């Protein structure tokens, strides 16, 4: 009874009990409570379980990738350090959201970053950009450019158009505050590295280790969208086996190992205990991946 009263107080003012019949009231109240608890992670569904990876852990892998970038492709500098940090922090808005992932009753699986509601997603993007910019104006500008690139200013969705406009204005403000002249080819390169590291990290996190090219998530099956001087036609990744990923052309100084924290939550545990308890009780494991050049 106390739990119901808490939820009712939480929703008071939004739901008017006297205007609804009892069944409709409880249905809307429950759905509103669920919506408030929606959280977003990278979710990989298998036959008997789900693999869940936190967004910030995925971003940490992005940061590792840009730090491993070949030196003669981009010399180290204070500006590069800030660009590297931007890649590692670009998903920091999801840190509090991923602590308690939510269950999608309709789809019978955890909510993922893909099906997160647009309004809340855009608000999270902007919150994260602000947090990054408070530590580094340049990193904030790169993260703003990164998220803006997901949207079109010609979109039929007003929220997307507003987001694009606000981020363009933010970038102008940040650039002015930096009080330094950054060559366009340099920040373009830093921006593309952030995008590529985000995509390659998602490729690793969203696919089952060792999967065949034909069975990969379609997003990156035909390669990555970014072009570089050393890769004018872009790059493509392949799972060589369940622990090695080849990248061609190879953008890193040397092959390197990376570990990605994840939780494996069985469908049986969810059935017995509910998703929240099953997730809390699941052990955190590490996925080991080695990035290598193609033979």
């Amino acid at each position: 009874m106390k739990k119901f009263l808490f939820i009712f107080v939480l929703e008071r003012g939004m739901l008017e009990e006297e205007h609804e019949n009892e069944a409709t009231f409880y249905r809307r109240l429950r759905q509103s409570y669920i919506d408030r608890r929606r959280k977003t992670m990278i979710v990989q569904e298998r036959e008997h379980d789900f693999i869940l990876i936190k967004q910030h852990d995925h971003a940490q892998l992005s940061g590792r990738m840009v730090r491993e970038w070949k030196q003669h492709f981009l010399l180290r500098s204070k500006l590069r350090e800030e660009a590297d940090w931007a890649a590692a922090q670009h998903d920091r808005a999801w840190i509090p959201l991923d602590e308690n992932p939510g269950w999608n009753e309709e789809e019978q699986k955890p909510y993922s970053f893909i099906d997160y509601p647009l309004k809340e997603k855009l608000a999270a993007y902007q919150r994260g950009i602000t947090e990054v910019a408070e530590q580094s104006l340049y990193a904030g500008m790169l993260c703003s450019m990164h998220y803006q690139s997901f949207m079109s200013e010609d979109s039929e969705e007003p929220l997307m158009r507003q987001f694009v406009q606000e981020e363009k204005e933010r970038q102008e403000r940040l650039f002015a505050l930096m009080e330094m002249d950054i060559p366009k080819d340099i920040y373009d390169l830093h921006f593309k590295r952030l995008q590529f590291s985000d995509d390659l990290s998602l490729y690793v996190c969203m696919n089952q280790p060792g999967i065949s090219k034909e069975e990969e998530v379609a997003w990156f099956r035909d390669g990555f969208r970014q072009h570089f001087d050393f890769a004018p036609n872009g790059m493509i990744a392949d799972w060589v086996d369940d622990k090695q990923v080849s990248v061609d052309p190879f953008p890193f100084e040397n092959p390197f190992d990376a570990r990605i924290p994840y939780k494996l939550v069985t469908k049986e545990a969810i059935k017995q205990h509910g998703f929240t308890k099953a997730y809390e009780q699941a052990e955190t494991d590490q996925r080991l991946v080695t990035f290598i050049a193609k033979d």
Side-chain angles (χ1 to χ4, degrees):
M1 185 63 176
K2 289 182 179 179
K3 183 176 181 181
F4 168 75
L5 289 174
F6 170 74
I7 298 171
F8 178 77
V9 170
L10 192 67
E11 302 298 330
R12 188 175 57 189
M14 189 179 79
L15 296 175
E16 299 292 339
E17 182 175 8
E18 64 269 24
H19 293 309
E20 310 199 39
N21 62 48
E22 188 175 7
T24 302
F25 171 71
Y26 283 117
R27 185 174 65 251
R28 287 187 61 194
L29 181 61
R30 179 176 178 275
Q31 185 58 50
S32 180
Y33 179 60
I34 290 171
D35 287 346
R36 285 179 180 268
R37 297 180 64 245
R38 280 178 175 168
K39 305 294 185 278
T40 175
M41 304 186 86
I42 296 172
V43 178
Q44 187 184 120
E45 183 174 7
R46 305 192 300 187
E47 183 178 1
H48 300 296
D49 52 47
F50 296 98
I51 300 291
L52 291 100
I53 299 173
K54 294 179 178 180
Q55 290 274 47
H56 190 57
D57 289 334
H58 135 71
Q60 293 298 293
L61 177 57
S62 298
R64 176 70 188 283
M65 290 172 178
V66 293
R67 291 194 299 273
E68 296 290 339
W69 207 256
K70 282 188 177 179
Q71 294 301 311
H72 69 274
F73 290 164
L74 183 62
L75 297 177
R76 292 201 177 277
S77 65
K78 180 66 170 67
L79 207 59
R80 176 178 168 176
E81 289 177 8
E82 294 189 38
D84 290 356
W85 187 76
Q89 299 296 319
H90 76 267
D91 271 339
R92 68 169 297 102
W94 304 116
I95 294 175
L97 300 178
D98 279 351
E99 289 306 312
N100 298 289
W103 180 255
N104 187 328
E105 288 283 355
E106 184 177 346
E107 299 292 334
Q108 284 296 292
K109 62 182 180 180
Y111 279 108
S112 77
F113 75 103
I114 296 173
D115 53 22
Y116 201 74
L118 178 64
K119 184 177 180 179
E120 289 87 345
K121 182 186 293 186
L122 297 181
Y125 287 168
Q126 293 191 311
R127 182 172 63 251
I129 295 167
T130 298
E131 290 179 5
V132 172
E134 286 173 350
Q135 301 298 318
S136 164
L137 298 174
Y138 187 55
M141 188 179 76
L142 291 174
C143 287
S144 175
M145 293 167 62
H146 181 54
Y147 282 116
Q148 182 200 319
S149 72
F150 298 166
M151 317 293 167
S152 170
E153 59 187 349
D154 298 324
S155 171
E156 295 181 359
E157 172 54 61
L159 288 174
M160 288 190 181
R161 295 199 303 272
Q162 179 182 349
F163 178 86
V164 170
Q165 181 59 38
E166 289 177 355
E167 289 312 309
K168 283 185 174 181
E169 293 171 359
R170 186 205 299 263
Q171 291 158 29
E172 291 177 359
R173 292 195 305 272
L174 293 175
F175 197 81
L177 288 170
M178 281 190 289
E179 297 182 343
M180 59 187 300
D181 187 18
I182 303 172
K184 186 177 185 302
D185 61 330
I186 293 297
Y187 70 72
D188 276 351
L189 177 55
H190 287 158
F191 172 54
K192 286 194 296 183
R193 278 197 325 143
L194 192 164
Q195 287 190 309
F196 170 74
S197 66
D198 184 26
D199 286 354
L200 180 56
S201 178
L202 284 174
Y203 171 87
V204 171
C205 294
M206 293 174 71
N207 281 306
Q208 177 72 17
I211 196 168
S212 68
K213 177 58 73 174
E214 293 73 23
E215 296 177 300
E216 286 180 2
V217 172
W219 290 7
F220 314 115
R221 189 182 298 148
D222 298 323
F224 302 99
R225 55 202 162 116
Q226 301 81 20
H227 295 178
F228 299 88
D229 289 345
F230 65 89
N233 298 315
M235 288 177 270
I236 191 166
D238 285 280
W239 282 93
V240 177
D241 53 37
D242 62 355
K243 289 192 170 52
Q244 297 185 100
V245 171
S246 71
V247 184
D248 184 46
F250 194 63
F252 308 117
E253 191 71 36
N254 296 293
F256 67 95
D257 297 334
R259 295 182 182 274
I260 309 161
Y262 70 91
K263 280 193 174 189
L264 185 155
V265 184
T266 67
K267 294 179 179 179
E268 182 61 30
I270 295 170
K271 182 178 179 180
Q272 289 185 7
H273 307 296
F275 175 69
T276 299
K277 189 172 183 180
Y279 177 79
E280 290 173 351
Q281 293 180 343
E283 296 290 331
T284 298
D285 207 339
Q286 302 270 337
R287 175 182 292 179
L288 175 64
V289 180
T290 300
F291 294 91
I292 63 173
K294 185 176 181 179
D295 290 337

